[in-house]
DNA sequence: TATGAATGAGCCTTCATTCAT
DNA sequence: CATGAATGAAGGCTCATTCAT
């Protein structure tokens, strides 16, 4: 370690930054080593391969994010927490978005998957009658869209940060998306 | 030309398919040539470079998509049209999603940009009093999310196609997202 | 044929120009076709291959040049004729210089080889006692150098054209190079 | 490193040899790697590109050659030194000849340019009255020709090595070329 | 642990040449 | 004769990974 930061940490930080800025495939091990201030070979003392680095980086942070959401009882709190997470570290948020979308092995459903956590909450809402929409998968997709697309707009500069200031508006939109006027719900 | 299909067309079809399946960077010119049933060099009689192929493929279809939306007057029609476009050619839809997100040069606003078309429609709604939400950029992001995330869910098998069957539900959700209860709208 | 110029001629002119400007290997058949205003395939109606074009172009002009020198009786006339040839068509002159130097198959000695013609003249001078230097090969090299290096200087802009104005000075230098003071001639 | 020779050195030696034997463009990186006993990628640890290798090889040796000539006071010494340089490493000599002629960026005048060093010497001779020819550029070209064309003859087997044995004869020829009979000097 | 030179497979692209029209 | 799309071998170069130090 050096400068009060472990080599591992330096690699992770550089990786996150470069992956978001240039894309995973477009970032070479040489780029990573240079940005982290280490030798190329050193990376392999910490990760078995570049793919491994990507997978570890994703899995760890994705699960940590899921755990942040896991305890929450209300949809409003989920939206607020997601936005807070984004505002704390937009780069990490963007990395999760990016890599999830891309050619990576699908993460299985479960407690480590933020999407699963959200879906479970919605399913409970439906079961308990608090949500009238009957299709939980559709509801999850809509709520996801209401959160992620504004986040993307912030990333691309089409909306000014912090994202948190939209929490109330978007919470309301989520709520109403999940509780459509009777005759609009599809069979 | 051969087999009643122009070489150009064969390249475009193969490219769309492979780019979506494996990613743009992950698809080699070798892959493309093989899938299109042509020699590697032949690709360069039709496109100046691989990048050019990607850019042309994107620009052409993105603009065509924008034009499909350009004439529509109502948000419901936009949602229906977007979903119809998706159901007609999910691969093309996914390609546009994928490449837009990636490291490509940002497409300027205007009539050739579907997002701009949507935003203009929302702005008109706000101006005319049909929409009470005051932030058009936020509204655009929410509507986009309500359409794209369910589309993504279909692509990933978390929702069964066709996407069109959700049109009514999602239109309603869009509408209500754009017309929040008074006290939820942020300043 | 077109524009009063045969296709063959158009190819030859373009080839000479491009070969001199960019080098033979660096000039592609595509370049040639474009510069000559013909299709790529058309070149092969006139030459069996690109190598053939180069060889024909060289052999024809090299031999023609040799024939221009063949009848001359005096060294002064050779110098004057070489310089006149250069000034008439510097590009052609430069092409012969360039290609001779390069990886082309060596041209055999004989009447079609300007160097052989020059050497024969010098050998006759030695035989007849007009030249005191005994090594004809060395004499040929020196005379060649006295002509070609000033020509090269003109090509590179280190000397102002026309080359012909140096004819007298260089003729004199050639003559004195071939007739060294007694004790300087090597054994 | 391996076999008591640095990788860099192995590359340089192989490059010099192949460039002279087949030409620069005609020598592929594959050829170079094979001849040097290294992997293709290894070349790029030492040079940024093939062009870079050529340029470095030329610039370094050209300048070193110029420095060998820089201190000399007499034209005889220059001729002797040039010929000694040739006889020590004909391949290197030929490489400098070849590449200088070719499409490389022109080397600026100055202390690192052997031609400039020669020209400066001749200019001094003219200034000091030791040389009667008034055109220094022409004189430089002639002296260059008297040295280089015999060297070329040796390379092509038209003259037997070593070149040094012609030093006296050629020095005399240079001297007389620079001091023409009065009425032959051009205006 | 850390290093960085070496590797060789694979990438994008160019090229001379062919051939159906 | 002329065309130009198609070819596929070869070119220069990059890359993730290994290993002796």
């Amino acid at each position: 370690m050096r400068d009060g930061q472990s080599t591992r940490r330096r690699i992770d930080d550089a990786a996150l930054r470069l992956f978001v800025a240039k894309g995973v495939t477009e970032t070479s091990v040489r780029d990573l080593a240079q940005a982290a201030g280490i030798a190329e070979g050193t990376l392999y003392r910490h990760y078995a391969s570049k793919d491994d680095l990507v997978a570890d980086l994703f899995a760890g942070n994705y699960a940590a994010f899921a755990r942040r959401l896991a305890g929450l009882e209300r949809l409003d709190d989920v939206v607020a927490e997601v936005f807070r997470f984004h505002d704390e570290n937009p780069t990490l948020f963007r990395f999760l978005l990016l890599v999830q979308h891309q050619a990576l092995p699908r993460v299985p459903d479960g407690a480590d998957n933020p999407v699963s956590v959200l879906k479970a909450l919605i399913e409970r809402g439906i079961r308990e009658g608090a949500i009238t929409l009957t299709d939980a998968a559709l509801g999850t997709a809509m709520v996801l869209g209401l959160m992620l697309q504004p986040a993307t707009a912030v990333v691309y500069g089409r909306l000014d940060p912090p994202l948190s200031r939209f929490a109330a508006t978007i919470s309301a939109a989520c709520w109403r998306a999940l509780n459509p006027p009777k005759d609009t719900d599809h069979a």
Side-chain angles (χ1 to χ4, degrees), chain A:
Chain A
M1 90 194 75
R2 220 192 311 164
D3 299 313
Q5 233 193 143
S6 75
T7 300
R8 176 74 167 245
R9 182 67 194 279
R10 297 162 68 98
I11 293 173
D12 289 1
D13 286 354
L16 217 57
R17 193 156 32 85
L18 291 180
F19 287 164
V20 167
K22 323 193 332 177
V24 171
T25 311
E26 287 72 16
T27 300
S28 68
V29 170
R30 198 175 226 171
D31 291 337
L32 287 171
Q34 194 156 0
I38 59 167
E40 290 175 55
T42 301
L43 192 145
Y44 291 86
R45 294 279 166 194
H46 297 269
Y47 293 100
S49 68
K50 182 188 164 188
D51 276 0
D52 225 58
L53 161 61
V54 177
D56 275 29
L57 217 50
F58 179 76
N61 290 112
Y62 202 59
F65 183 30
R67 279 192 298 275
R68 272 177 80 154
L69 303 182
L72 305 177
E73 297 272 324
R74 298 163 32 95
L75 192 58
D76 289 9
D77 294 338
V78 170
V79 173
E81 187 63 22
V82 168
F83 286 9
R84 203 175 301 128
F85 180 72
H86 169 275
D87 290 337
E88 282 169 9
N89 191 347
T91 299
L92 174 54
F93 191 93
R94 180 129 178 67
F95 170 74
L96 295 178
L97 228 55
L98 188 79
V99 167
Q100 173 196 39
H101 240 313
Q102 270 177 204
L104 279 184
R106 191 94 311 104
V107 175
D109 285 358
D112 283 354
N113 186 333
V115 176
S116 299
V117 171
L118 174 61
K119 192 177 182 195
L121 192 67
I122 289 174
E123 281 167 340
R124 214 189 63 190
I126 293 173
R127 247 188 346 263
E128 295 179 353
I131 292 174
T132 60
L133 186 82
T134 55
D135 188 334
L138 176 60
T140 305
M142 288 194 297
V143 170
L144 231 38
L146 284 167
M147 293 190 295
L148 300 188
Q149 210 56 237
T152 302
V154 167
V155 166
Y156 286 157
R158 294 198 291 256
L159 222 47
D160 294 325
L163 191 53
S164 299
R165 65 199 180 93
F166 304 115
T169 306
I170 289 174
S171 281
C174 288
W175 199 249
R176 302 177 81 197
L178 295 175
N179 292 284
K182 280 284 147 48
D183 56 345
T184 332
D185 198 359
H186 65 101

